[in-house]
Amino acid sequence: MKETIILGIDPGTTIMGFGLIKVVGKEMHFIQLNELDLKKYNDHYLKLKLIFERTIELIDTHKPDEIAIEAPFFGKNVQSMLKLGRAQGVAMAAGLSREIPITEYLPKKIKMAITGNGNASKEQVAKMLQSLLGLKTLPKNLDATDGLAAAVCHFYNSGKVTVGKSYSGWDAFVKQNQDRVKK
């Protein structure tokens, strides 16, 4: 039976949450959830380097077949949006450098997939994941469960036609983003 490992990432420059699930047939199995705590670092570029390195380490250790990543939602603060976009970008670059297909999901889509409510709280998402995957305890910070939620959302959406933006590698990324690429 085919086995698929999905790495879910909730990018952030303060905390990057991530979770891994294994899919065997139509069943989901919990592998890991954790977070990369970046609060103690002041240098934004160092944070980006650490996000990249941790993502590569996760990829090399667990060999995921696919990556699901939470897309930054539009906020009022342009600076924090930019930082979040960069964090997401380096996590994506890590996956692309290892030729792993990446799919982005909006936070509302992830919440909807997990709880049936696009406006669910982090706590509601975490509790539902705990129930779905039989987790004994939940982490103190719920960024890790947000990363896991992205992976579970991707599992629920696999096989469906529209799942957001997917990239199978640099070439696909460039082709799908012609308007952003300088010639």
Side-chain angles (χ1 to χ4, degrees), residues 101-165:
I102 296 167
T103 306
E104 293 177 76
Y105 293 96
L106 291 170
K108 269 189 185 302
K109 178 144 182 134
I110 294 172
K111 290 172 180 180
M112 186 62 144
I114 306 302
T115 67
N117 174 1
N119 296 314
S121 68
K122 277 181 176 287
E123 291 75 19
Q124 288 170 314
V125 171
K127 285 283 185 212
M128 187 57 106
L129 287 170
Q130 187 174 25
S131 167
L132 286 168
L133 296 165
L135 308 177
K136 285 177 183 60
T137 57
L138 287 172
K140 193 172 70 229
N141 292 326
L142 297 179
D143 298 277
T145 47
D146 285 351
L148 185 62
V152 174
C153 171
H154 187 63
F155 164 68
Y156 286 149
N157 282 281
S158 57
K160 293 183 183 166
V161 183
T162 54
V163 288
K165 291 187 178 180

Side-chain angles (χ1 to χ4, degrees), residues 7 9 16 18 20 32 34-36 49-64 67 90-91 94-95 97-98 100:
L7 167 61
I9 299 174
M16 174 182 95
F18 57 88
L20 286 131
Q32 180 191 4
N34 209 333
E35 58 192 35
L36 172 63
K49 178 179 182 277
L50 293 169
I51 291 167
F52 185 85
E53 289 172 351
R54 184 65 177 120
T55 306
I56 288 287
E57 186 186 317
L58 286 164
I59 290 166
D60 291 350
T61 303
H62 297 282
K63 311 263 185 276
I67 294 174
V90 295
S97 77
R98 293 290 197 262
I100 300 169

Side-chain angles (χ1 to χ4, degrees), residues 4-19:
T4 304
I5 293 176
I6 304 169
L7 167 61
I9 299 174
D10 176 24
T13 53
T14 316
I15 295 175
M16 174 182 95
F18 57 88

